[in-house]
């Protein structure tokens, strides 16, 4: 589903990720971990083309990212749900509108849109905040909304960047079980996190990144 | 279709959410348009004045002294059939004397010592607008003056020249300031919308990351721009209409003779104002949103 | 003192960082000022024209027919000593006849049959500006006409009245459009800076949370506003100066007689433009930043 | 140093924190914990007056927050260093300028300013990012800058809201030891976090918040 072949990305002259070979199968749930600044976010950005590699090849689902045309990029991104590390919620839209946006972009019909949004809000436990603006939410609540937005359209691939950084233990568990449920239904999931508690004893693939290189790949 | 609906919805809710900002922009655009509009009104009025002066321009054909009224009638028919002649007025010797006395006013005592009316009868002829150019007119009068019975032909060559010069100056002034002002207005709209747009950069970035197409991103902005522009334009029409009525009424009170020159405000302004606002803002927004790159 | 330095530093670096946006605002402010400036130039020129027409206004005092040159001299001295008289020109009978013939042009054949010069000699008198009001002038001429040797006094009462009316209309037009334009300009500056300010809301919120005083927050904005305003004003002065020179040269080419009316652009514009820009932007920024509440 | 007496805060009709009695001594280092949406951030906001309570009294250092005049609030805030949950870095300023701002606000002289900023950047291990803009930093790096900004002026009180949410284990330890060093020099510190690993076995006061009420107060 996601394949990196000898991928390197530089910012200026400094390499941020170097020589990455990576393979995530369809239906897999994998973790990327590593210290702050290791390049986890950058690696995810390469997948949804927010950054482009200087070297190497990346393919995502049916897309070959070297050959994809500018105007097709939105369609690549619609195959992917992304939980951004900094949430990227729109502060002038309500919680409902923020999540609905992901549906509108995909041209979902108004009635199924409303249904989907309400369901996912219930799933993350924030149905009662539907009409609030993000700035009136707690940090953890914002994070849950970001997660809901990434999942509402049932994407092929789900990328989650530090999805539990602002969540307490119980909330984190809820979110993880949501992820697993999605995964069971076929969504390929890649989670970047520094929180080793998330992946220990899960039996899932864990990729250790350090200074932009893959240090090791184990099973958590 | 659904996308258009979503865009319109987004545009409306964005417009409403940032209502104060948008009102500000609408006012700015309104100011720009109003300036341009006042200029247009001014230039229409000036043009109407110039046209009227041209309409009033006439040449005078003095007839021979001893001419009979039959001959006069024949000449009249001859002139009036000329394709360049618009209208013709016959002025008898007596009328001419009265007019001269009128003109001289207190100085008319010069005429007291004159026993016999020394003035000839004449035709005052208005010519078509096309021929009102010194060179052409001179040719024409040279022709006319060879007609038997015609003594002399007079026309205010200097007046005509200065009239033509004035109209040329007006035209070039209108052209220069017109272009300058029009670009200023477009620029004000553009700048306003561009500034508004900067606020939304983050939003656009996020939309791009969420998989929105260019159209999806651009449409609400263009619609919002058009909403603002239309509002600004309508506001402008309204205020121009009101203030023009006020000013022109006040001016006519002070100077009733202006009535002949002042053009009335076309009702169409209530269409053109909003339309201009919408089009300008659309163009402005289009460039403001710019090229969306992924 | 250190705070002022920090503010200035911040203002400069903010101005530089948002240079394109700020350039845009400077251009907008420049547009606003330029519109106002063109209006001022136009109104100066119109006023200069009106003043010149007033200066050319004169009354004519016709003397009795049989008057001797000694008496004429005495009268001349009498009039010239009047405190309301500005200057005086003596016109002899002969000169008067020549002028009349000149004026009548081709129509002067009326005078051919006149043997003896029927015209009186006269004084053409220019009066002080204060007295150039129909009512006052009528009083004055009534007085003058009682002086022995004076036959009749003539002045273009209608001309004077229409001159006064024109100048009144000009004045009220200037006042109306002037206020309208000035507020538009202030509004354009205000709106521009207000919009710019919206972008910085988050920044201001953060500054407040970090313990910045009102002064600390406000100063850089005001300074940035003034920098933008000064730049816009300078730009405006420059472009006005250049385009006025161009337009007035072109106009004078077309109509050399304009030379007498066209005022030259005061050099001061290079001071007033930036100053106006700075002040307006300061006011605009001040209100744009608004009340900072903790 | 910080004292809450029967403090309640409502948003609209909903109570967010209710009936809080709290006392943090000068020189103490205490933790507030609790699930997402418990009211931790709101409690901190009450201290630096970003929110005002509907009921109760709060005093902070020499300030009685009920009686403080508007124009004195900046001076209260200068006694406090705050690590915001969402960082609140200025994205149009470099890392150096962001941190320098906290010093400029306090009117620090240019040369000591430069010295202080450089020192704290070294302390958090980001001296090499001094000239970068925040958007070019990783999530963890941004968090460290936010922490550095709060500490650079050596405030009387340090409030840290979820300061390790984006940090790996090693970075979190570095930051915590920085906090402890500061605390040893006399700074009163209050840390809001859902990460129980931070306070277990520290022997510090831990306040458990739930649904806006203090559930218990223990020693970690
Ligand atoms: N646009 C950019 N320009 C320059 N440097 C960048 C840019 N984006 C990231 N970097 C640098 O690349 C390195 C890796 O960043 P990245 O965000 O991928 O780290 P990360 O593994 O996600 O860390 P964290 O756990 O803190 O989020 C960091 O040192 C960061 O400063
Ligand atoms: N300005 C506001 N208006 C309305 N509700 C608010 C506002 N600020 C916070 N809330 C609500 O108050 C509750 C407590 O928020 P707070 O930010 O204090 O939680 P928290 O303990 O910091 O949670 P987290 O660990 O997720 O950051 C939340 O349910 C939030 O939605
Ligand atoms: Mg990251
Ligand atoms: Mg919080």
């Amino acid at each position: 589903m996601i394949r990196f072949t000898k991928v390197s990305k530089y910012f200026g002259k400094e390499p941020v990720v170097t020589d990455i070979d990576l393979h995530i199968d369809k239906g897999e749930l994998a973790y990327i971990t590593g210290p702050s600044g290791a390049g986890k976010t950058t690696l995810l950005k390469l997948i949804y083309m927010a950054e482009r590699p200087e070297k190497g090849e990346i393919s995502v689902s049916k897309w070959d990212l070297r050959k994809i045309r500018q105007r097709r990029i939105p369609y690549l991104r619609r195959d992917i749900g992304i939980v951004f590390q900094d949430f990227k919620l729109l502060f002038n839209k309500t919680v409902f509108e923020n999540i609905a946006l992901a549906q509108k972009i995909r041209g979902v019909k108004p009635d199924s849109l409303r249904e989907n949004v309400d369901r996912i809000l219930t799933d993350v436990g924030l149905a009662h905040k539907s009409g609030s603006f993000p700035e009136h939410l707690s940090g953890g609540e914002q994070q849950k909304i970001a997660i809901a937005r990434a999942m509402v359209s049932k994407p092929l691939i789900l990328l989650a960047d530090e999805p539990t950084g602002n969540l307490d233990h119980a909330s984190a568990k809820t979110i993880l079980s949501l992820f697993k449920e999605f995964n069971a239904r076929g969504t390929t999931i890649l989670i970047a996190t520094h929180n080793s508690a998330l992946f220990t004893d899960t039996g899932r693939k864990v990729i250790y990144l350090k200074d932009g290189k893959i240090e090791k790949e184990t099973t958590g | 279709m659904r996308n258009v609906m979503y865009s319109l919805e987004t545009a409306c809710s964005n417009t409403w959410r940032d209502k104060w900002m948008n009102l500000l922009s609408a006012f700015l655009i309104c100011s720009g348009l109003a300036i341009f509009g006042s200029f247009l009104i001014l230039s229409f009025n000036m043009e109407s004045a110039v046209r009227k002066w041209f309409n009033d321009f006439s040449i005078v054909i003095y007839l021979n002294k001893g001419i009979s009224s039959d001959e006069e009638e024949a000449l009249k028919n001859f002139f009036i059939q000329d394709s360049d002649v618009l209208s013709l007025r016959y002025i008898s010797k007596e009328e001419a004397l009265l007019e001269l006395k009128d003109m001289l006013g207190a100085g008319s005592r010069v005429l007291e010592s004159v026993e016999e009316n020394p003035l000839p009868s004449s035709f005052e002829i208005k010519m078509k607008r096309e021929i009102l150019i010194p060179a052409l007119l001179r040719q024409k009068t040279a022709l006319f003056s060879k007609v038997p019975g015609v003594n002399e032909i007079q026309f205010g060559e200097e007046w005509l020249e200065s009239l033509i010069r004035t109209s040329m100056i007006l035209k070039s002034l209108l052209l220069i300031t017109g272009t300058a002002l029009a670009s200023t207005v477009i620029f004000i709209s553009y700048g306003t919308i561009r500034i508004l747009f900067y606020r939304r950069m983050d939003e656009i970035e996020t939309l791009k990351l969420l998989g929105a197409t260019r159209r999806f991103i651009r449409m609400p902005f263009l619609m919002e721009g058009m909403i603002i522009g239309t509002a600004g334009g309508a506001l402008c029409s309204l205020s121009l209409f009101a203030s023009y009525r006020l000013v022109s009424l006040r001016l006519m009170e002070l100077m009733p003779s202006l009535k002949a020159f002042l053009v009335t405000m076309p009702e169409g302004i209530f269409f053109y104002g909003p339309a201009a606002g919408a089009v300008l803002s659309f163009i402005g927004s289009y460039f403001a949103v710019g090229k969306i790159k992924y």
Side-chain angles (χ1 to χ4, degrees), chain A, chain B:
Chain A
M1 201 56 157
I2 302 174
R3 182 183 292 280
F4 280 52
T5 319
K6 299 229 161 293
V7 173
S8 295
K9 167 75 197 163
Y10 293 78
F11 287 118
K13 273 187 198 138
E14 262 186 286
V16 178
V17 296
T18 31
D19 240 7
I20 300 281
D21 280 299
L22 186 75
H23 182 73
I24 312 278
D25 269 330
K26 187 161 161 57
E28 212 174 333
L29 191 167
Y31 294 89
I32 308 179
T33 191
S36 177
K40 303 183 291 295
T41 302
T42 306
L43 201 146
L44 296 185
K45 280 183 178 169
L46 288 169
I47 296 173
Y48 57 86
M49 292 192 79
E51 299 287 358
R52 272 150 237 223
E54 266 74 42
K55 287 186 209 153
E57 287 169 36
I58 305 173
S59 75
V60 176
S61 174
K62 61 177 189 245
W63 313 90
D64 178 346
L65 302 197
R66 271 189 318 174
K67 293 199 193 122
I68 194 170
R69 276 157 60 213
Q70 274 264 336
R71 38 181 302 118
R72 303 302 297 170
I73 294 177
Y75 300 93
L76 159 71
R77 289 185 182 160
R78 289 187 200 173
D79 284 346
I80 310 175
I82 312 166
V83 183
F84 301 97
Q85 191 170 10
D86 55 355
F87 312 158
K88 293 201 193 299
L89 299 176
L90 300 182
F91 273 66
N92 57 11
K93 289 195 179 347
T94 63
V95 163
F96 184 91
E97 289 166 336
N98 263 284
I99 300 176
L101 196 60
Q103 293 264 289
K104 285 185 181 172
I105 283 174
R106 288 168 176 83
V108 174
K109 266 182 280 171
D111 31 349
S112 23
L113 177 152
R114 174 160 288 280
E115 205 183 299
N116 293 341
V117 175
D118 286 342
R119 173 142 15 87
I120 198 78
L121 271 173
T122 314
D123 283 348
V124 299
L126 284 179
H128 59 294
K129 294 285 183 187
S130 169
S132 302
F133 286 93
E135 68 176 320
H136 297 156
L137 296 184
S138 81
E141 287 162 350
Q142 289 183 23
Q143 189 153 40
K144 287 179 195 165
I145 300 304
I147 292 166
R149 184 181 60 185
M151 305 212 297
V152 69
S153 302
K154 303 198 173 59
L156 272 176
I157 301 172
L158 183 69
L159 306 177
D161 197 353
E162 211 71 83
T164 59
N166 283 279
L167 295 184
D168 57 289
H169 199 66
S171 303
K173 265 176 94 169
T174 316
I175 296 300
L176 270 184
S177 62
L178 263 179
F179 283 174
K180 277 172 198 153
E181 200 180 303
F182 256 65
N183 181 240
R185 289 208 220 112
T187 301
T188 309
I189 302 185
L190 189 55
I191 302 173
T193 183
H194 61 260
N195 186 356
S196 53
L198 289 190
F199 51 77
T200 37
D201 303 324
T202 53
R204 308 285 189 172
K205 187 191 281 179
V206 182
I207 298 153
Y208 286 86
L209 231 86
K210 196 170 176 190
D211 293 334
K213 295 199 188 71
I214 294 184
E215 209 183 23
K216 59 178 174 177
E217 210 181 294
T218 63
T219 304
Chain B
M1 200 46 230
R2 183 141 62 239
N3 272 336
V4 173
M5 208 196 67
Y6 281 148
S7 297
L8 195 63
E9 205 183 292
T10 310
C12 290
S13 79
N14 280 350
T15 310
W16 177 247
R17 200 163 284 135
D18 287 332
K19 49 189 167 302
W20 298 118
M21 278 290 279
N22 285 331
L23 205 61
L24 210 63
S25 317
F27 272 122
L28 283 181
I29 290 169
C30 165
S31 316
L33 284 179
I35 293 165
F36 185 64
S38 328
F39 165 79
L40 273 188
I41 292 173
L42 195 73
S43 66
F44 280 149
N45 277 315
M46 296 213 292
E47 226 172 70
S48 121
V50 169
R51 204 173 321 114
K52 201 165 148 41
W53 285 330
F54 268 115
N55 283 346
D56 286 350
F57 184 84
S58 57
I59 67 176
V60 180
I61 299 183
Y62 292 103
L63 305 182
N64 281 338
K65 272 212 176 138
I67 203 160
S68 74
S69 55
D70 282 353
E71 282 169 315
E72 282 178 351
E73 193 63 27
L75 276 172
K76 181 173 171 180
N77 285 332
F78 172 78
F79 286 128
I80 216 158
Q81 265 152 40
D82 190 288
S83 61
D84 289 329
V85 169
L86 209 65
S87 69
L88 176 146
R89 186 167 77 97
Y90 171 69
I91 301 165
S92 66
K93 299 159 75 117
E94 294 74 27
E95 283 169 326
L97 190 63
L98 283 176
E99 276 182 22
L100 181 62
K101 276 184 178 162
D102 226 39
M103 196 182 98
L104 290 176
S108 68
R109 72 168 62 74
V110 202
L111 299 173
E112 275 161 24
S113 56
V114 180
E115 291 105 39
E116 195 204 337
N117 184 349
L119 296 176
S121 57
S122 61
F123 290 127
E124 197 183 286
I125 294 185
K126 290 195 175 161
M127 308 293 273
K128 293 225 170 101
R129 178 72 183 78
E130 301 86 67
I131 207 173
L132 291 185
I133 293 162
L136 287 183
L137 208 53
R138 234 175 285 127
Q139 274 180 17
K140 194 79 196 173
T141 50
L143 265 171
F144 279 0
S145 64
K146 288 196 192 101
V147 176
V150 169
N151 182 345
E152 199 188 349
I153 299 185
Q154 245 190 46
F155 64 95
E157 197 168 334
E158 276 176 26
W159 169 239
L160 182 61
E161 259 167 12
S162 84
L163 197 55
I164 286 172
R165 231 186 278 122
T166 310
S167 110
M168 258 177 69
I169 289 177
L170 276 186
K171 268 196 194 123
S172 57
L173 257 185
L174 290 189
L175 206 77
I176 297 172
T177 45
T179 346
L181 277 173
S183 20
T184 307
V185 172
I186 294 185
F187 182 73
I188 289 179
S189 310
Y190 167 81
T192 310
I193 289 162
R194 178 102 199 146
I195 291 177
L196 281 177
F197 173 76
Y198 266 88
R199 281 183 311 145
R200 300 270 173 78
M201 287 246 265
D202 293 344
E203 191 173 335
I204 288 175
E205 277 314 306
T206 303
L207 283 172
K208 277 168 24 181
L209 291 176
L210 293 178
T213 53
R214 292 200 172 108
R215 253 173 72 98
F216 190 92
I217 296 173
R218 210 182 255 136
M219 287 270 278
F221 282 105
L222 298 187
M223 286 176 175
E224 189 174 351
M226 278 176 70
I227 293 174
I228 298 175
T230 311
L235 209 72
C236 161
S237 292
L238 215 73
S239 54
L240 269 189
F241 189 80
S243 55
Y244 184 63
R245 291 218 65 169
L246 227 79
V247 169
S248 63
L249 281 181
R250 175 127 186 70
L251 278 185
M252 281 201 230
E253 223 168 66
L254 275 169
M255 213 182 200
S257 62
L258 270 180
K259 204 167 271 172
F261 295 106
L262 285 180
V263 296
T264 56
M265 191 76 136
E267 300 269 303
I269 191 175
F270 287 110
F271 168 72
Y272 292 118
V279 169
L280 283 179
S281 297
F282 181 85
I283 298 173
S285 309
Y286 188 85
F287 283 106
V289 178
K291 224 178 134 46
I292 294 171
K293 278 194 141 186
Y294 288 97

